[in-house]
Amino acid sequence: MKRKIMVCGAALGLVLGWTGFAHASPVASHVLENAPSATVSVVSADGEAIAAAECYYPVYSGDSGAMVCFNPTGEHLYICDNASDGHHPVARYYRSDSSGLKTKHADVGYGTCLDHNLSIPESGWINYQACNYEGSTQLSCGYFSGRISARG
């Protein structure tokens, strides 16, 4: 009888552990574990230093000259110059806590990214697009990412 109770108790413990009642596990880390990702080179505000950063759900402009990706931990939108074509990358995005289309130009060189630090509520989302521009003229844009959770 004691063995049956111990086995049942152990089984119940496993069930509780897997369902999250016994302990909390961050949902975002599980979702991001399987998400498409990229490691990018981010230029500091003064343009002097370059650091590596990880981001998820990269999208590209139609000509692949620009790439935009997002890291929900801290709500960082990375806007990257993906081609040595003399043009610059632009992120166009919608966010759950603000109305209308937003645009952010990045004055970075080929192979580097701008860290556009956003402050989106954890329950919020962002939907972004990568574009390649020459000055204020749009040359090429890709598809929007779809709503990406800001839960980091």
Side-chain angles (χ1 to χ4, degrees):
M1 184 67 157
K2 282 187 180 183
R3 282 188 186 176
K4 287 183 183 179
I5 291 172
M6 288 179 68
V7 170
C8 289
L12 179 61
L14 287 173
V15 169
L16 290 177
W18 284 107
T19 60
F21 291 115
H23 66 290
S25 68
V27 174
S29 65
H30 173 67
V31 171
L32 294 178
E33 185 176 286
N34 299 315
S37 66
T39 300
V40 297
S41 298
V42 181
V43 179
S44 64
D46 62 8
E48 296 296 318
I50 295 179
E54 187 164 11
C55 60
Y56 304 92
Y57 305 104
V59 295
Y60 297 86
S61 58
D63 62 6
S64 298
M67 189 265 287
V68 176
C69 55
F70 183 66
N71 189 327
T73 304
E75 299 90 37
H76 295 271
L77 187 66
Y78 296 104
I79 307 162
C80 307
D81 190 338
N82 218 35
S84 58
D85 54 11
H87 308 307
H88 70 277
V90 173
R92 294 168 23 129
Y93 60 94
Y94 295 96
R95 49 189 286 176
S96 59
D97 62 336
S98 182
S99 63
L101 180 66
K102 312 290 183 228
T103 302
K104 180 67 177 177
H105 290 254
D107 186 18
V108 295
Y110 167 63
T112 57
C113 304
L114 172 73
D115 177 357
H116 185 43
N117 193 353
L118 304 167
S119 182
I120 301 172
E122 289 291 308
S123 61
W125 52 262
I126 186 167
N127 184 3
Y128 51 88
Q129 175 185 47
C131 298
N132 208 7
Y133 272 64
E134 176 61 41
S136 60
T137 304
Q138 178 184 309
L139 301 175
S140 173
C141 288
Y143 295 104
F144 275 88
S145 61
R147 290 183 179 181
I148 307 298
S149 173
R151 184 166 314 215

